[in-house]
Amino acid sequence: MAQPEDTVQTAYDLVADDYARLLPDTRAETALDLAVLDAFVARVRDEGDVLDAGCGAGRMARHLADRGCTVRGVDLSPRMIAAGHRAHPDLDLTVASLADLPFEDGRFAGVMAWYSTIHTPDEELPGVLAELVRVLRPGGHLLVAFQAGEGVVDLAESYGRHGHDVVLERYRRRVDAMAHLLDRVGCQEVVRMVRAPKGNEAEDQAVMLVRRR
């Protein structure tokens, strides 16, 4: 059975303070990750506002803002947003679901989903991607990062090592399958990057940059 959205919210509310403390910035990203982020920034910075969809405590929104982007951030977890407000009081971060974004059609020049669709079950992913594209203007760019592969990973043991008893799963995605879904919701692929695991990572990591037709 696919995990419901409130399960994801409860899990991130529980771990929010430790998450913000242990991962405050882009130190976990590799130079390759940051290079694709830079390519995204170059395409959207001067074109209009950017949405960090699934912003957590705001570390990636901070990265975009520091590079000249005007950023809005949304996240499902109220406690993650509260941690983001404490760490980045100048950023506009609000609670919202990626499946029901509180913005009009075509609102943003760029949308970033940095590992924020990884808890979305396969049957719900097309709808979430369509919602991300809905708020993106024609010609705008969407950046999506995720773990590459197939199957579901139970994160209870991983979070348990940090003292948290959570129920949470994440979904690996085949890159070609993600590209197909993004094409179906009206996007043209610009670039994809798949890199080998680094440090404690167990899977290949994928980033896709696409443009709304």
Side-chain angles (χ1 to χ4, degrees):
M1 180 181 295
Q3 63 186 347
E5 199 172 60
D6 59 355
T7 299
V8 178
Q9 177 187 324
T10 298
Y12 275 101
D13 279 346
L14 182 64
V15 306
D17 292 342
D18 281 347
Y19 195 103
R21 176 177 57 85
L22 295 171
L23 201 61
D25 50 33
T26 59
R27 66 188 65 183
E29 275 67 40
T30 68
L32 287 172
D33 301 329
L34 296 176
V36 181
L37 274 167
D38 285 346
F40 173 70
V41 169
R43 285 164 171 79
V44 302
R45 177 174 48 207
D46 300 323
E47 300 301 320
D49 292 353
V50 178
L51 176 65
D52 182 357
C55 63
R59 69 185 187 96
M60 302 307 293
R62 172 85 279 151
H63 183 80
L64 296 179
D66 287 349
R67 279 146 189 80
C69 294
T70 301
V71 186
R72 298 283 304 272
V74 298
D75 197 89
L76 186 64
S77 164
R79 289 195 62 181
M80 289 290 268
I81 290 296
H85 287 157
R86 291 192 296 272
H88 312 288
D90 59 314
L91 295 182
D92 186 344
L93 311 176
T94 57
V95 178
S97 167
L98 301 193
D100 186 20
L101 294 169
F103 306 109
E104 67 270 22
D105 295 357
R107 169 69 175 78
F108 295 98
V111 175
M112 179 176 71
W114 195 257
Y115 293 95
S116 56
T117 63
I118 62 174
H119 304 300
T120 303
D122 290 343
E123 61 271 22
E124 297 175 15
L125 184 61
V128 168
L129 294 178
E131 181 69 354
L132 296 176
V133 174
R134 179 187 67 77
V135 301
L136 185 65
R137 70 180 57 164
H141 288 80
L142 169 65
L143 187 70
V144 184
F146 54 97
Q147 287 88 5
E150 295 181 290
V152 183
V153 178
D154 186 342
L155 297 178
E157 181 180 350
S158 176
Y159 278 105
R161 290 196 292 268
H162 295 282
H164 295 293
D165 182 13
V166 302
V167 177
L168 189 64
E169 296 175 335
R170 66 171 167 79
Y171 299 81
R172 304 183 186 100
R173 291 320 175 352
R174 291 186 296 109
V175 180
D176 283 344
M178 182 66 84
H180 176 69
L181 290 176
L182 289 166
D183 176 72
R184 287 184 61 187
V185 295
C187 291
Q188 179 179 359
E189 184 173 338
V190 175
V191 67
R192 67 174 72 181
M193 187 273 291
V194 183
R195 64 167 178 81
K198 168 206 167 192
N200 294 326
E201 295 170 347
E203 304 103 343
D204 288 352
Q205 308 293 306
V207 187
M208 296 195 67
L209 178 63
V210 299
R211 179 176 180 270
R212 182 177 179 182
R213 297 189 186 94

